[in-house]
Amino acid sequence: MFFKKNKFQTLIFLLTFFIIPQVSLAYSDKIIASGETVGIKLNTDGILIVGSYEINGHNSLVEAGLKNGDVISKINNNEVHTVEEMVNIITDCNCNNLKISYIRDDKTSKTTLPLYEDKGVLKTGLYVKDSVSGVGTLTFIDPETKYFGVLGHEIADATTGEIIDIESGTIFDSKITGITRSSEGNPGEKNALLYSDKVEGDVFENTNKGIFGEYTSEIDTSKLYKVANIDDIEIGDATILTVLDGVEVGEFSIKITSINETKDKLKNIQFEITDETLLDKTNGIVQGMSGSPIIQNDYIVGAVTHVVVNDPHRGYGILITNMLEEAEN
């Protein structure tokens, strides 16, 4: 009797084992390659310290042992997420110092931040912010999952160079109003109007491979591009999709000069701009072009991420598969 029962259980186990599906990536074989310029707003996970100033010879940042790039998470044992919350606590506390919890290198510490009076007002002597905004290019939308990717690289704090930890964010409509041309040693930029009330998607991640989230607006699936693996990409002619004026996406020629599966999965594609119209307008790659999809043979192969500062006609891109894999994490 025992043998029969054990045999039955073994059969069930074996059947269960063999019907477990193999783990596979969930992104689609064909996706939307956008090239649209979008505004980006990221809300920091806490209040980010970006600088300090002296009040009557005192520097509260130094006295409290804080540094630029530290993130304030609690004040007087109250969780804080916005600068407005910080101001309200200072206004209502009737105190000369604040008990601060802050995060540095993923470790939470505590300190006391002195307040000093300046023209009858108590001040911290800190420059802080709770959000960052910018302009970039929407690389892809997966029509099945609605996941999107922007930039192909992180948004980092200008003071510390560290990736900004975020709580939430949005992408929204933007319109290019002009171009500041690149020159040797000085990358140009897209100048844009931002329409933060016209939200296109919610951001959930800021990583070194891009800004990722869920697209919430309507999508156009009339033109889909096959997702290229590294073996599908060739040295030679390709194009990028980007906006140079208004909201119209244009297609411009480039030449891929090398392809590498780097250990950090960044700067996989080297290329140079060959399109005369683009060069006349921008003199190469400009800020705001990050995320522009790279297209070859009806594949989306990657996205523009970096410019060679001393030669703005040349730049780097990330493989599209590296962005798609990151979007799923």
Side-chain angles (χ1 to χ4, degrees):
M1 185 69 180
F2 173 80
F3 175 78
K4 289 182 178 179
K5 183 178 180 182
N6 186 61
K7 183 178 180 181
F8 181 68
Q9 289 175 334
T10 303
L11 286 171
I12 292 175
F13 174 77
L14 289 174
L15 286 170
T16 304
F17 176 81
F18 283 114
I19 63 173
I20 293 175
Q22 291 184 338
V23 176
S24 60
L25 296 171
Y27 60 76
S28 303
D29 293 333
K30 293 184 176 182
I31 61 176
I32 298 165
S34 175
E36 172 191 353
T37 299
V38 291
I40 306 166
K41 182 180 180 182
L42 304 181
N43 301 312
T44 60
D45 188 10
I47 300 169
L48 181 67
I49 300 174
V50 296
S52 65
Y53 58 94
E54 288 193 355
I55 304 173
N56 300 325
H58 295 280
N59 188 312
S60 296
L61 182 80
V62 175
E63 293 175 11
L66 296 168
K67 294 182 178 181
N68 292 340
D70 289 346
V71 176
I72 298 172
S73 57
K74 289 184 179 181
I75 301 176
N76 292 348
N77 297 319
N78 297 305
E79 288 190 3
V80 289
H81 302 279
T82 67
V83 174
E84 182 179 5
E85 290 173 342
M86 183 176 187
V87 171
N88 289 339
I89 290 174
I90 295 170
T91 301
D92 297 338
C93 77
N94 190 29
C95 55
N96 292 318
N97 56 65
L98 303 174
K99 295 179 180 179
I100 299 290
S101 295
Y102 65 95
I103 301 169
R104 181 189 299 166
D105 298 329
D106 296 323
K107 180 181 177 181
T108 300
S109 303
K110 296 181 179 180
T111 189
T112 299
L113 179 70
L115 301 176
Y116 293 104
E117 186 175 319
D118 181 26
K119 298 178 181 178
V121 179
L122 285 176
K123 296 183 178 180
T124 63
L126 303 180
Y127 292 116
V128 295
K129 60 185 177 184
D130 54 26
S131 66
V132 292
S133 299
V135 174
T137 301
L138 178 61
T139 306
F140 71 85
I141 307 169
D142 187 320
E144 298 297 327
T145 64
K146 288 285 192 85
Y147 288 167
F148 68 80
V150 184
L151 292 182
H153 60 71
E154 74 279 8
I155 290 182
D157 178 62
T159 304
T160 66
E162 298 293 323
I163 296 177
I164 296 173
D165 291 327
I166 67 168
E167 183 177 49
S168 61
T170 56
I171 60 169
F172 45 87
D173 285 359
S174 179
K175 179 181 179 180
I176 299 301
T177 58
I179 300 287
T180 302
R181 286 165 53 86
S182 286
S183 58
E184 185 176 339
N186 187 25
E189 63 180 336
K190 292 183 178 184
N191 305 309
L193 292 175
L194 304 180
Y195 304 99
S196 58
D197 58 328
K198 297 180 179 179
V199 173
E200 296 184 14
D202 297 320
V203 175
F204 53 64
E205 194 173 24
N206 174 31
T207 81
N208 66 347
K209 296 178 181 65
I211 312 301
F212 302 100
E214 184 174 0
Y215 202 75
T216 55
S217 294
E218 293 184 8
I219 60 174
D220 180 4
T221 58
S222 60
K223 176 61 176 177
L224 299 177
Y225 290 84
K226 292 179 287 186
V227 174
N229 293 309
I230 190 167
D231 294 338
D232 297 315
I233 310 171
E234 303 171 351
I235 301 295
D237 293 341
T239 60
I240 62 171
L241 305 179
T242 200
V243 177
L244 298 184
D245 186 42
V247 297
E248 184 178 354
V249 177
E251 188 167 8
F252 305 95
S253 61
I254 66 170
K255 182 179 180 180
I256 295 175
T257 56
S258 72
I259 308 153
N260 298 288
E261 181 65 271
T262 58
K263 185 176 181 180
D264 60 5
K265 297 188 175 183
L266 305 172
K267 292 186 177 180
N268 310 117
I269 300 169
Q270 285 185 276
F271 67 91
E272 59 182 354
I273 303 291
T274 58
D275 194 286
E276 291 300 329
T277 300
L278 180 59
L279 291 172
D280 286 345
K281 185 81 171 180
T282 66
N283 195 36
I285 303 163
V286 297
Q287 296 176 77
M289 204 176 281
S290 290
S292 299
I294 303 173
I295 307 297
Q296 187 182 64
N297 299 328
D298 212 33
Y299 284 94
I300 176 171
V301 305
V304 176
T305 58
H306 294 82
V307 60
V308 177
V309 176
N310 292 328
D311 183 1
H313 292 196
R314 297 190 297 123
Y316 293 90
I318 184 173
L319 291 173
I320 191 62
T321 48
N322 291 343
M323 288 187 72
L324 288 165
E325 289 169 11
E326 188 73 18
E328 294 182 349
N329 293 335

